Each structure stands twice: as structure tokens, then as C-alpha cells.
């Protein structure tokens, strides 16, 4: 069990007011956060927070300040007006105050699982206080926000605002897909994209699709030798329903009899020598199935054929950045 530090900056956790998103909008007027979603992995003690804003500048400023402030933040990735935070579960001290070389004006003080919900603890000073007290709390996906004092509900100026924002608990599910096409027809990335668009299961949030360049020198391939990966945030009770939907959609739309579908659940990316091998070597089904079993990756396809090789590669690269689309060793 991981030992978590109590954040001495968060006071005695007294709650003065609790507001729902619509009440926050009524109090502060509609603001700019378009999405707020939190996934947790209790086994690894990790969380992933996805936040989307209408304005890129706000995201960039928040990212630099949260990263500088420390706390529960481990790393942050930025994509336009969106950010993805990798965080630790628990509460942690932060370097928080007016902006300086070693302190930040906004901080993620902690992430905690509370039954079927996730609580994220925030602090912001001046304009950044408006972000944590008025903007994030009205985002789609928020259930409610707790304010420790009346002062926390009047952000701006030189004041510090602290909040605890509650969202539904999600888990991350990554699905690797390969060999749905033939030399004559079909494209795996198109079928995978259509599958994501068609998924309307309540409690399932589609995150993104990634194309994974496999070894183009493999003799038994279509043309480009590219697999696809789909990433979803999923409520815990909806995972099997999602996997059944994806399997049925992909296998019904595939024109190949060799389709492979591999699944990984959780926030820790599997480390494997097959990350390189899938881009550089000619592999067998048996060795890929053995490696998948070692990593806790399962296959859900019914073909049990060569598509499982590329499906393993796709799920291994599903959350590793733009290099997934390149040949081995290629970087921007």
C-alpha cells in the first residue's frame, strides 16, 4: 500500500457550501471549461485528468503553474486547448503562492477515490482562483463542488480560493485492432474510427484513436502494415458492455478473416521488448499471445489468427505519443 502525505495547506476540510454545476453557472455566469474527466487506477495509485478549455492560453498558463506547484501532479501533456495530467492518488504539499521561480499560482493538491466518485482538490490565487472556483466547477462531467469557506466562493483579486471537485469515477480502456482489411478492400483505421463514432453507451467516453505503424517489411501484410488503437474512459460497470460492442462492430465490418482485437485496462503503460519488436521484427502469433498474457493484455477476437500480432502492437503503443505512427527510431 502506498503511503500518501496529508496536504498541510488544505486546512481542516470544513465545508461551507456545496454547489452543482448549474448553480455555479448561475452564480458566476457561464465560463470556458468544455470538458473535465478523471480516470483512476487504484492498483497503481495513479489518476489521469483530462481538461479542455475554450481558450488555449488558459490551458497553457494553468499547465505551467500546476507543473511548477507540484502537489499530486506527476506530468502534464498539452494538445491545443486541452491538457492531460498524470497524477498520484492522495494529498500532497504544494509550492503555492504568487507566481515565482519555485511556486505556482494554481495547484492540484490531491486526488482521492470516494466510492463511485473521484475528488480532486484545487487551489488558485487571483485569476487562477477564478479557474478553480468558477470555471472548472461548471464543466461538463462535474457532479458537485465543495467550498471550504465563503471566501473561497469569491475568487479573484489577491485572494486564494480552494475547492474540492467531484466527478464520476472512470477507468481507462485501450483497445488494439489489426487485420480487418485485405489487399483489395478495407482500411482498419476507418473501421476503428467508425466504431468509436457509433459507440453511444452511457458511461463510456471516447478519448482518441491512434494509428500504429508496424513493421512494413513483414511479408504477410496488406500494404502499409498499420494497426489502430481506440482509447476510452469507462465507468467500471460498463467495461464488458463496451468490449462486446467493439468486438461485434469490428468483426461485422471486417473483410478479413484474421482480425485481432487486444485490450488493456489501466493507466500504467505496459513496458515490453515488443514495443520495438513489433516495428522491427517478424513475429509469431504464439509469442505475441504469450507476451500479452504476461502483461495482462487479453484478446477478445474470435478469429485467434495473425491479426493478434498487430493488435498487441497497437495496444502497446496506444498511449505513447506521435512516435506510434512512425517507423522505429523516428522522432519529430
Amino acid at each position: 500500500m502506498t503511503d500518501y502525505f496529508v496536504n498541510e495547506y488544505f486546512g481542516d476540510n470544513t465545508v461551507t457550501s456545496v454547489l452543482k454545476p448549474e448553480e455555479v453557472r448561475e452564480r458566476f455566469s457561464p465560463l470556458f471549461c468544455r470538458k473535465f474527466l478523471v480516470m483512476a487506477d487504484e492498483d497503481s495509485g495513479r489518476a489521469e485528468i483530462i481538461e479542455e478549455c475554450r481558450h488555449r492560453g488558459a490551458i497553457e498558463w494553468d499547465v505551467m503553474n500546476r507543473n511548477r506547484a507540484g502537489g499530486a501532479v506527476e506530468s502534464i501533456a498539452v494538445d491545443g486547448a486541452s491538457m492531460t495530467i498524470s497524477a498520484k492518488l492522495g494529498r500532497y504539499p504544494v509550492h503555492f503562492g504568487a507566481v515565482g521561480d519555485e511556486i505556482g499560482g494554481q495547484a492540484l493538491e490531491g486526488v482521492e477515490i470516494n466510492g463511485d466518485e473521484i475528488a480532486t482538490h484545487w487551489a488558485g490565487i487571483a485569476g487562477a482562483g477564478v479557474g478553480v472556483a468558477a470555471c472548472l466547477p461548471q464543466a461538463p462531467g462535474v457532479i458537485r463542488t465543495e467550498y471550504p469557506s465563503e471566501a473561497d466562493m469569491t475568487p479573484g483579486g489577491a485572494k486564494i480560493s480552494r475547492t474540492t471537485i467531484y466527478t464520476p469515477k472512470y477507468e481507462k480502456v485501450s483497445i488494439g485492432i489489426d487485420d480487418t482489411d485485405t489487399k483489395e478492400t478495407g482500411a482498419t483505421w476507418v473501421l476503428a474510427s467508425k466504431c468509436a463514432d457509433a459507440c453511444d453507451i452511457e458511461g463510456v467516453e471516447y478519448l482518441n484513436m491512434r494509428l500504429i505503424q508496424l513493421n512494413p517489411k513483414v511479408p504477410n501484410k496488406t500494404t502499409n502494415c498499420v494497426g489502430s488503437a481506440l482509447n476510452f474512459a469507462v465507468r467500471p460497470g460498463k467495461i464488458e458492455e463496451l468490449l462486446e460492442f467493439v468486438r461485434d462492430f469490428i468483426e461485422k465490418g471486417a473483410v478479413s478473416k484474421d482480425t485481432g482485437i487486444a485490450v488493456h485496462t489501466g493507466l500504467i503503460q505496459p513496458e515490453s521488448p515488443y514495443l520495438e519488436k513489433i516495428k522491427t521484427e517478424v513475429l509469431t502469433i504464439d509469442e505475441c499471445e504469450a507476451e500479452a498474457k504476461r502483461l495482462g493484455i487479453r484478446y477478445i477476437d474470435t478469429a485467434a489468427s495473425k491479426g493478434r500480432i498487430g493488435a498487441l502492437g497497437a495496444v502497446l503503443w496506444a498511449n505513447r505519443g506521435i512516435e506510434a505512427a512512425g517507423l522505429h527510431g523516428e522522432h519529430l
Side-chain angles (χ1 to χ4, degrees), residues 33 36 51 66 122 130-139 142 145 165:
C33 191
F36 186 73
E51 183 180 333
R66 294 178 193 177
W122 301 89
V130 178
V132 302
C135 194
L136 285 181
Q138 59 179 269
V142 172
T145 299
I165 300 175

Side-chain angles (χ1 to χ4, degrees), residues 79-239:
D79 182 8
S82 299
M83 74 168 87
T84 300
I85 303 175
S86 296
K88 303 172 287 188
L89 294 181
R91 293 192 183 186
Y92 300 87
V94 298
H95 308 291
F96 179 68
V99 175
D101 290 342
E102 297 180 353
I103 50 181
Q106 192 180 86
L108 173 63
E109 297 189 299
V111 184
E112 296 181 312
I113 297 174
N114 181 29
D116 198 37
E117 299 175 344
I118 297 179
T120 51
H121 305 289
W122 301 89
I125 190 169
V130 178
V132 302
C135 194
L136 285 181
Q138 59 179 269
V142 172
I143 298 172
R144 67 188 181 280
T145 299
E146 295 178 350
Y147 297 83
S149 72
E150 184 63 32
D152 295 297
M153 301 179 69
T154 56
K159 296 186 293 296
I160 294 175
S161 292
R162 283 185 162 89
T163 58
T164 296
I165 300 175
Y166 289 86
T167 54
K169 177 186 175 184
Y170 284 90
E171 297 180 21
K172 193 167 196 176
V173 177
S174 300
I175 304 174
I177 303 165
D178 193 35
D179 219 334
T180 69
D181 53 355
T182 67
K183 289 183 180 295
E184 291 72 35
T185 186
T188 295
W189 76 270
V190 173
L191 182 60
S193 301
K194 288 182 176 180
C195 178
D197 287 345
C199 183
D200 59 359
I201 300 171
E202 184 177 357
V204 174
E205 294 281 339
Y206 169 59
L207 300 177
N208 54 58
M209 186 274 287
R210 173 156 283 130
L211 276 71
I212 293 84
Q213 178 65 60
L214 308 171
N215 182 4
K217 297 182 180 179
V218 170
N220 190 12
K221 61 183 175 69
T222 49
T223 303
N224 291 321
C225 201
V226 176
S228 297
L230 298 176
N231 290 305
F232 295 90
V234 189
R235 299 280 279 149
K238 294 290 186 174
I239 292 176

Side-chain angles (χ1 to χ4, degrees), residues 270-298:
E271 295 297 336
S272 169
Y274 283 74
L275 281 162
E276 178 178 340
K277 289 183 177 182
I278 201 70
K279 289 178 175 283
T280 59
E281 298 183 15
V282 178
L283 305 173
T284 68
I285 300 171
D286 289 345
E287 64 180 311
C288 288
E289 288 179 335
E291 180 67 1
K293 183 177 181 180
R294 184 184 76 83
L295 296 171
I297 292 169
R298 59 173 168 145

